[in-house]
Amino acid sequence: ILERAADEIIRIAKRIRHLRETESTMPPHHEDILHLGEMSGAILKHALDAFANMDVVNASEIILEDKAINMEFYNLRDNFMKTMKEHPV
């Protein structure tokens, strides 16, 4: 699972770098995307710390963090859909 997460993080980072190098403006909602990435990185660190310390209490808190990330993701997705409907290409 960790290898898969690392692969996805690298893929996303490369895409963001490409966008910054080739686009004159950042895509809509890019601040929200960055925030979601920060939240995802934090939950990964939290999970690794809980695992390394065999800390069941902290591990159970990850469920709440995951729900918060899911809510952020769904809100971002909905905002993207709204933007695309308002400004079709």
Side-chain angles (χ1 to χ4, degrees):
I1 293 174
L2 291 177
E3 182 179 351
R4 175 78 173 131
D7 290 344
E8 289 300 310
I9 290 168
I10 291 169
R11 186 180 66 78
I12 292 167
K14 286 179 179 178
R15 180 69 178 136
I16 290 171
R17 183 184 312 147
H18 175 75
L19 284 173
R20 285 188 172 170
E21 291 171 354
T22 60
E23 299 292 325
S24 60
T25 59
M26 290 302 289
H29 312 292
H30 77 278
E31 291 294 330
D32 296 330
I33 296 168
L34 295 175
H35 177 67
L36 188 60
E38 290 169 359
M39 289 178 70
S40 299
I43 194 174
L44 179 58
K45 182 185 181 316
H46 192 177
L48 292 172
D49 290 344
F51 178 74
N53 296 317
M54 302 299 276
D55 187 338
V56 176
V57 173
N58 280 331
S60 64
E61 291 174 2
I62 294 168
I63 295 169
L64 297 175
E65 293 175 31
D66 182 57
K67 288 180 181 182
I69 289 173
N70 285 342
M71 290 301 297
E72 290 282 331
F73 172 78
Y74 295 134
N75 288 335
L76 180 60
R77 181 197 61 194
D78 293 345
N79 288 336
F80 268 122
M81 296 297 288
K82 181 180 175 186
T83 300
M84 287 188 290
K85 286 178 182 177
E86 291 173 354
H87 306 337
V89 176

